[in-house]
Amino acid sequence: MNEETQRILDHVVLVDPDQQEFIQAVTSFLKSIDKLVEETPQITYYKVLDRIVEPERVIIFRVPWVDDDGKLQINRAYRVQMNSAIGPYKGGLRFHPSVNLSILKFLAFEQTFKNSLTGLALGGGKGGSNFDPKDKSENEIMRFCQSLMTELCRHIGEDTDVPAGDIGVGAREIGYLYGQYKRLMNRSVGILTGKGTSFGGSYIRPEATGYGLVYLSAAILEAKGKSLEGRTCLVSGSGNVAQYTTEKLLQMGAKPITLSDSSGVLIDPSGIDEKKLAFVKALKNVRRGRISEYVQQYKEATYIPHDGSGSSNPLWDVKADYAFPCATQNEINAIDAKHLVANGIQLIGEGANMPTTLEADEIFRQEKVLHAPGKAANAGGVAVSGLEMAQNSQKLQWTPEKVDRQLQSIMKNIYASISDAAEKYSTKDNFVDGANIAGFLKVSEAMIAQGYV
Ligand code: NDP
């Protein structure tokens, strides 16, 4: 890193030394931006960078709720309103016990550049709570969502901040949150995306992140004369993004052979076909069970318990052509990266946000593995959220075909802009640099035009 970008990073570390995930995201970003600022010294990018690492606003509040035994419970919730240079803050809500300010700041930071890449007028934000939805009853989840929205409703709006789902927040939670907003504010407007299609939701929003990931990966492969057809793929996670990544991989003729959850890893060498995927969807979305149950149904598969501890994840030591991490941040470390490379992996397509550590990134770069970073590869979700906002403001609902066509076109444009930026300011096919630079260019232009605010 050059002296100025290092100064910016040092300041971030100085003011928030405990925010490891945020520091990691900023480090990765600044390493890419270094190349742009050296090429264009005439533009005062450093002044923008000083500001871009500081959220515009952070709201922290308590969420009091009552469990089924009548006991009073308390959780902490946050909304990080990171950057509104190009549009209203936009980004999901995460419910997971690990949620803290560092994780939400890293997610909001990534989201700012991701939203810029979509070409839509969306700023960056992220929020959530350290609430653990596992083992909670329907009623407890409903009461928690209602209590959270009782405070959050003052800070969001269709033209200021529009949250959506993320880990632990799916259609069910969005429905409860939206219902409470409506009761409190007496307004039926698009203040959340990922809503049910009967009350303002967009078709293809549930599918969008996974489908978009596969569309972008297919574009990268096509430019290299490769395809997904007949190729073996690793997918991690078994939630929204993993399910629809697997679905689209199957539609495009690939052979997904793994899934996981926070308790363990599933390997099915015979392939996870449509029927098995339907089983996983029912297991995870309806029964809210564990992925270990898959092996009771399909004996050809193997289950390896893995809770994220230990030096490596067995899922990344399975031989395959392409890998799609779709669970959580830092799920591929340096050892996992070495295993993937040793097994001949050719492409990493990130469904999750920042699933690779800085050391793993470096290994993929050195080994010339095609690497589509989350801020580009999983942008399909927020892109269709942007389309949901457009439909809400028009009071219209587009057909699934129309939304899917737009999603495909957005992912194609993202591929074009990240590969162009990589070639112009970094190295051909360095999509990590390309995504950071292309995302930053638009945000910085808007911030400069608005007086560096
Ligand atoms: P879900 O809650 O639907 O699924 C998350 C999956 O990841 C589950 O299988 C979960 O296991 C697993 N998981 C979560 N935390 C951990 C952990 N600490 N260790 C191991 N496994 C874990 O979330 P999504 O599918 O929506 O999100 C997955 C990733 O995709 C996240 O990084 C998210 O930020 C990113 N993303 C999501 C978008 C969306 O539209 N939903 C958009 C863009 C990015 P278990 O079932 O045991 O909890």
Side-chain angles (χ1 to χ4, degrees):
M1 257 190 242
N2 74 39
E3 225 172 78
E4 277 293 297
T5 35
Q6 187 63 51
R7 175 188 63 74
I8 292 160
L9 180 61
D10 290 346
H11 179 75
V12 168
V13 175
L14 183 75
V15 292
D16 291 309
D18 300 329
Q19 295 185 357
Q20 284 312 314
E21 293 84 0
F22 182 59
I23 292 168
Q24 180 183 339
V26 173
T27 305
S28 166
F29 167 76
L30 288 177
K31 275 184 173 172
S32 300
I33 293 304
D34 231 15
K35 293 155 192 158
L36 169 73
V37 282
E38 271 169 19
E39 291 271 318
T40 46
Q42 68 280 16
I43 304 179
T44 46
Y45 281 128
Y46 295 119
K47 295 289 166 212
V48 180
L49 290 169
D50 277 331
R51 284 153 173 74
I52 220 163
V53 295
E54 197 64 51
E56 289 179 15
R57 187 179 301 111
V58 177
I59 298 138
I60 303 181
F61 55 99
R62 68 177 181 223
V63 185
W65 57 284
V66 181
D67 69 18
D68 287 347
D69 297 329
K71 290 203 185 97
L72 297 174
Q73 300 287 348
I74 178 86
N75 284 90
R76 179 178 288 180
Y78 310 77
R79 187 70 185 163
V80 178
Q81 298 183 332
M82 196 77 198
N83 195 303
S84 61
I86 61 175
Y89 309 107
K90 182 90 197 86
L93 296 171
R94 177 177 290 193
F95 292 171
H96 193 273
S98 64
V99 162
N100 59 32
L101 192 53
S102 170
I103 288 181
L104 294 180
K105 274 177 67 182
F106 117 65
L107 288 164
F109 186 70
E110 296 278 294
Q111 192 82 44
T112 300
F113 308 110
K114 177 188 312 192
N115 293 2
S116 162
L117 286 173
T118 65
L120 304 173
L122 302 170
K126 201 83 189 189
S129 171
N130 59 359
F131 174 75
D132 186 356
K134 276 200 204 84
D135 308 324
K136 301 292 187 302
S137 71
E138 278 286 323
N139 284 339
E140 287 174 330
I141 287 181
M142 184 170 71
R143 285 197 294 274
F144 177 79
C145 289
Q146 290 173 339
S147 181
L148 184 137
M149 184 52 86
T150 302
E151 174 60 33
L152 187 66
C153 70
R154 309 166 210 268
H155 309 290
I156 61 173
E158 68 276 28
D159 294 323
T160 48
D161 185 353
V162 185
D166 189 74
I167 290 178
V169 179
R172 170 181 62 166
E173 291 75 16
I174 293 290
Y176 295 151
L177 290 162
Y178 183 74
Q180 181 71 353
Y181 180 90
K182 212 157 43 61
R183 290 168 74 201
L184 291 165
M185 310 300 274
N186 197 24
R187 301 178 72 227
S188 286
V189 283
I191 45 85
L192 288 166
T193 57
K195 301 183 291 296
T197 48
S198 59
F199 55 97
S202 175
Y203 287 110
I204 308 293
R205 177 59 190 90
E207 295 85 347
T209 307
Y211 280 19
L213 167 62
V214 179
Y215 293 147
L216 184 89
S217 304
I220 290 175
L221 292 169
E222 195 186 318
K224 294 272 146 214
K226 297 178 182 186
S227 83
L228 287 157
E229 182 74 41
R231 296 297 171 164
T232 306
C233 299
L234 307 178
V235 179
S236 66
S238 49
N240 172 274
V241 181
Q243 290 171 19
Y244 288 107
T245 297
T246 305
E247 183 166 290
K248 188 51 78 179
L249 285 173
L250 288 170
Q251 288 171 11
M252 296 188 79
K255 184 183 175 191
I257 58 166
T258 61
L259 286 170
S260 66
D261 62 19
S262 52
S263 316
V265 166
L266 163 82
I267 304 163
D268 185 345
S270 63
I272 299 165
D273 60 18
E274 282 83 359
K275 196 168 153 222
K276 292 170 176 176
L277 178 61
F279 172 84
V280 172
K281 283 186 183 173
L283 172 71
K284 283 289 175 182
N285 308 346
V286 183
R287 289 196 281 124
R288 300 192 185 268
R290 309 307 298 156
I291 201 71
S292 54
E293 291 175 46
Y294 182 106
V295 290
Q296 290 153 22
Q297 185 78 10
Y298 302 106
K299 307 282 181 217
E300 60 276 31
T302 310
Y303 174 74
I304 307 172
H306 175 75
D307 64 1
S309 60
S311 58
S312 65
N313 182 339
L315 192 150
W316 307 123
D317 202 5
V318 178
K319 191 167 171 51
D321 299 298
Y322 311 136
F324 299 93
C326 295
T328 193
Q329 63 273 2
N330 290 330
E331 53 173 314
I332 298 182
N333 63 21
I335 299 173
D336 298 318
K338 283 181 189 153
H339 288 156
L340 285 161
V341 168
N343 282 322
I345 207 78
Q346 296 164 47
L347 172 127
I348 310 290
E350 297 185 353
N353 286 307
M354 203 171 74
T356 52
T357 63
L358 289 172
E359 296 75 22
D361 287 346
E362 188 52 28
I363 291 167
F364 295 138
R365 194 187 63 78
Q366 278 171 12
E367 298 294 332
K368 298 198 168 23
V369 176
L370 296 168
H371 184 182
K375 56 173 78 71
N378 68 34
V382 73
V384 173
S385 276
L387 302 181
E388 183 172 326
M389 287 162 70
Q391 293 168 73
N392 289 167
S393 59
Q394 295 175 310
K395 305 273 186 270
L396 287 175
Q397 190 169 47
W398 301 344
T399 62
E401 293 73 24
K402 175 168 173 168
V403 180
D404 195 28
R405 268 199 311 277
Q406 296 232 16
L407 171 63
Q408 292 188 43
S409 143
I410 289 170
M411 298 315 292
K412 261 198 192 126
N413 291 341
I414 291 179
Y415 171 69
S417 59
I418 66 173
S419 55
D420 287 355
E423 214 162 327
K424 189 160 174 205
Y425 298 106
S426 173
T427 321
K428 188 170 160 45
D429 296 339
N430 185 333
F431 302 119
V432 174
D433 284 354
N436 281 323
I437 293 168
F440 172 73
L441 280 171
K442 184 173 165 191
V443 179
S444 60
E445 188 185 320
M447 286 175 73
I448 293 169
Q450 291 168 31
Y452 294 87
V453 290

